[in-house]
Amino acid sequence: MAFDIEMIKKVYSNFSSRIEAARKIVGRPLTLSEKILYTHLWDGNAKTAFIRGTDYVDFAPDRVAMQDATAQMALLQFMQAGRPQVAVPSTVHCDHLITAKSGAEIDLPHANTESKEVFDFLASVSNKYGIGFWKPGAGIIHQVVLENYAFPGGMMIGTDSHTVNAGGLGMVAIGVGGADACDVMAGLPWELKFPKLIGVKLTGKLNGWASAKDVILKVAGILTVKGGTGAIVEYFGDGAENLSCTGKGTICNMGAEIGATTSTFGYDKSMERYLRATNRADVADAANNIAEHLTGDAEVYANPENYFDQLIEINLDELEPYLNGPFTPDLATPISQMKAAAEANGWPLKVEWGLIGSCTNSSYEDLSRAASIAKQAIDKGLGIKAEFGINPGSEQVRYTANRDGLLGTFEDLNATIFTNACGPCIGMWDRTGAEKAEKNTIVHSFNRNFAKRADGNPNTFAFVTSPEIVAAIAIAGDLGFNPLTDTLTNNRGEQVKLDPPVGDELPLNGYAVEDAGFQAPAEDGSGVQVLVSPTSHRLQLLDPFPAWEGTDLKGLKLLIKAKGKCTTDHISMAGPWLKFRGHLDNISNNMLIGAVNFFNDKTDDVKNALTGEYGPVPATQRDYKAQGLGSIVVGDENYGEGSSREHAAMEPRHLGVRAVLVKSFARIHETNLKKQGMLALTFADKEDYDKIQEDDIIDIHGLSTFEPNVPLQVDLHHADGSKDIIVVNHSYNAQQIEWFRAGGALNIIRKEAALKAAGL
């Protein structure tokens, strides 16, 4: 039986009436995305037709999911909200704080010792507030959610950008910062700008070496890392119905890499099969009863150009495997062109590591297809020329794959089986030799490949591809190897060719597991004590941020003018810094250390306006804070792309940065800045970015009359006595302006809770 089945049935009971109300208001057939959005309005039935990309709308998500790195800050904030229990079903998943090094048998016990304080905190706070807790080793959050909680037509938010993975089971699942999660867990509406819609029509059927991963790798090449910003990507067509449920999850998962709000598929037989295979026949039965509402209206898919803001068509019959990278997940190269591209660009052809796993590709189907390649290699007398690592997606997947011999096949090919956790995908990889910073190539089935992402080495050229292509290239040890056409020399000196992968959508003998790793919360958590040591270097209770002082901001120092790509990895690195995710002051020592300074092309090296000397970004900002001086960060396009981590907004706020001014923002990061009481501003004229000089003193005018759709003025006082006045835009609505004035959204929640407790 499914978790929260009564909640799911309640959601479904309102579907028909709410969709009918929405159709009448909108006056036309509805896409699946619109159906889910309109059925989850905070106020119930639709009373107005919302304008895509313009209207802010309050929604009522069905559930919240948090991983251990982001859950710390989300729950530290929730503890300040004054609520006795979460208002919606919520879960915590311990998957980020486990370093991959020697293999699961050694790495997991080490993590349980190293991060015991954090795991104990998360377990106790979950127990107190009615939150389901998944222990270390239980699996990667998004695979566990797909196996246990996702349901067609539902709406979920999660404190991880790859929450979107649940679109593989027909959800609208959206990555957010911890403050948003705190709102929903506190029983408040969740605000989102009504998304635009991108339709992707899939025809045909995958064959040969092509996989679901190649669909999103191709889409990423088309849309780029910002092409999906502010939009939901909805997949449809006979090609969509030919994909497995976990394959759909893979496609939705990497929608985060194109900036999409989320991605989703309509309910179909593959989803029903997956629900039944994962012991959720009750959900499948309930979904079947309203199946017509769990996909877009027929008229939409018959004439998609009339219903979507953008339309893409992909014929799966013709789809070729892709490798995307290096250093960005949207640089898409068909495998037939990779050798030439690598040689032309100087990418190292020798592959050092092949890695399979992550929330994107760690299902049973993924492992079975990759294992079929590994078995061929063994049977055909081939060894492996790159090191090989596997991260199963969950304990259920690991146990079942081990029972069916898949893991044994990998081990016969000398692979290391890491813990059921994120590991190298999010920088938790203790890779021997990475500290030498040597130029090298790795291939992996992950989702992101920014510089330093996997191993901390800026010279690791990482390429994203499918698990089966990872296996083939790891066997060949050559980035230019094309298994569709090329042969390899076996141990008998023969030329042999790998056959296309085969695998099982679902385990033929069903899933099995002894201990999935779930810990249910106490029925009554009122007596549970959550203790945080005042001397801890891992956890720190939060103090409220100060409210806006009521005046324009004047005399701001320029902390850094970031050049080029500046992701949340650049603003707040992961890897070894993950251990400080629950201690705001300590983790703030990584603030913007990966951003490139426009004025010297160096990282973590900015001019201190007080001393005239160059030094680390966090230390410079701490100097400003000590003197009571505010500062501003200037950035380029799509600032804050990548992970949902709100630390990238909280660290500048904590250290005294007052505003971030950029050419454009990634959606989640812009929202996170607003939630924390920061000013998130964009150049009205992007060429004004060039007017920012290193020694500028900056004023921001118009805050006393701060209102929606009214630009602000920024004065740039240059060191030579000259001055530039520029116009900057913002996307704040009335409620978000109140967040700014209050010093952050949590301050408003805290005040409301105090008034309620006092009976006022």
Side-chain angles (χ1 to χ4, degrees), residues 75 209 223 229 241 275 323 434 448 509 515:
L75 293 175
W209 286 86
L223 290 177
T229 302
E241 295 179 8
L275 286 169
L323 291 102
R448 294 191 176 131
N509 295 315
D515 178 7

Side-chain angles (χ1 to χ4, degrees), residues 545-622:
F545 289 131
W548 171 57
E549 55 269 63
T551 62
D552 287 341
L553 301 181
K554 296 183 178 181
L556 301 179
K557 304 296 184 184
L558 176 66
L559 177 60
I560 187 172
K561 179 179 177 179
K563 179 180 179 181
K565 186 184 284 287
C566 191
T567 72
T568 49
D569 274 16
H570 295 90
I571 304 168
S572 175
M573 288 188 175
W577 289 96
L578 284 175
K579 65 172 62 76
F580 299 119
R581 284 286 182 88
H583 197 295
L584 183 55
D585 194 58
N586 282 346
I587 198 170
S588 293
N589 289 321
N590 79 358
M591 184 189 72
L592 285 158
I593 63 176
V596 176
N597 183 357
F598 178 91
F599 299 107
N600 60 11
D601 284 327
K602 295 181 179 179
T603 58
D604 201 23
D605 191 61
V606 295
K607 187 175 183 179
N608 187 322
L610 302 178
T611 66
E613 299 177 351
Y614 285 82
V617 182
T620 301
Q621 182 56 38
R622 287 186 187 275

Side-chain angles (χ1 to χ4, degrees), residues 249-464:
T250 291
I251 293 169
C252 292
N253 182 288
M254 268 195 73
E257 275 53 71
I258 57 173
T261 301
T262 192
S263 304
T264 195
F265 286 79
Y267 179 63
D268 61 15
K269 292 298 183 182
S270 70
M271 294 185 191
E272 180 181 358
R273 289 193 296 272
Y274 188 73
L275 286 169
R276 295 191 187 282
T278 51
N279 297 313
R280 288 176 288 172
D282 44 1
V283 178
D285 292 341
N288 286 344
N289 288 335
I290 61 163
E292 64 181 292
H293 300 310
L294 298 176
T295 188
D297 288 335
E299 297 92 329
V300 171
Y301 297 151
N303 299 286
E305 64 280 357
N306 296 331
Y307 299 93
F308 293 98
D309 298 292
Q310 184 177 351
L311 185 63
I312 296 170
E313 295 191 30
I314 297 174
N315 184 347
L316 301 185
D317 291 335
E318 301 170 353
L319 187 63
E320 182 179 352
Y322 276 78
L323 291 102
N324 285 26
F327 306 127
T328 185
D330 60 347
L331 182 56
T333 305
I335 196 167
S336 61
Q337 300 174 27
M338 177 50 72
K339 183 175 183 179
E343 290 173 344
N345 289 285
W347 302 334
L349 284 168
K350 184 177 185 295
V351 174
E352 305 289 343
W353 267 91
L355 296 155
I356 293 173
S358 88
C359 58
T360 319
N361 281 109
S362 55
S363 67
Y364 184 90
E365 180 182 32
D366 290 324
L367 296 186
S368 69
R369 284 174 63 86
S372 77
I373 303 302
K375 187 174 189 308
Q376 280 189 63
I378 296 166
D379 293 344
K380 295 184 178 186
L382 296 169
I384 192 161
K385 294 185 178 178
E387 293 189 76
F388 199 21
I390 313 291
N391 282 84
S394 69
E395 175 58 15
Q396 180 168 259
V397 166
R398 187 211 66 80
Y399 188 95
T400 307
N402 187 56
R403 178 201 67 189
D404 294 348
L406 304 183
L407 299 189
T409 298
F410 288 129
E411 289 173 323
D412 289 344
L413 204 60
N414 206 31
T416 300
I417 309 299
F418 292 123
T419 312
N420 315 318
C422 302
C425 180
I426 46 92
M428 292 298 282
W429 185 21
D430 188 357
R431 182 185 178 189
T432 302
E435 70 282 355
K436 299 177 184 177
E438 295 175 340
K439 189 174 180 179
N440 75 103
T441 287
I442 65 174
V443 293
H444 59 57
S445 71
F446 308 159
N447 39 52
R448 294 191 176 131
N449 56 351
F450 305 136
K452 301 184 181 181
R453 171 81 179 185
D455 62 2
N457 178 4
N459 297 312
T460 292
F461 288 61
F463 294 85
V464 182

Side-chain angles (χ1 to χ4, degrees), residues 48-83:
T48 184
F50 298 109
I51 301 173
R52 299 176 190 170
T54 298
D55 290 340
Y56 282 95
V57 182
D58 285 342
F59 292 101
D62 301 313
R63 65 177 316 111
V64 173
M66 298 163 280
Q67 39 94 335
D68 50 354
T70 53
Q72 295 171 66
M73 198 57 68
L75 293 175
L76 284 165
Q77 291 178 86
F78 182 77
M79 289 170 64
Q80 303 298 313
R83 306 299 169 100

Side-chain angles (χ1 to χ4, degrees), residues 65-74 91-97 122 141-142 158-161 422 426 578 581 643-645:
M66 298 163 280
Q67 39 94 335
D68 50 354
T70 53
Q72 295 171 66
M73 198 57 68
T91 52
V92 168
H93 305 258
C94 295
D95 62 355
H96 273 56
L97 300 178
L122 292 173
I141 175 173
H142 309 303
T159 60
D160 188 283
S161 55
C422 302
I426 46 92
L578 284 175
R581 284 286 182 88
S643 298
S644 68
R645 64 192 68 154

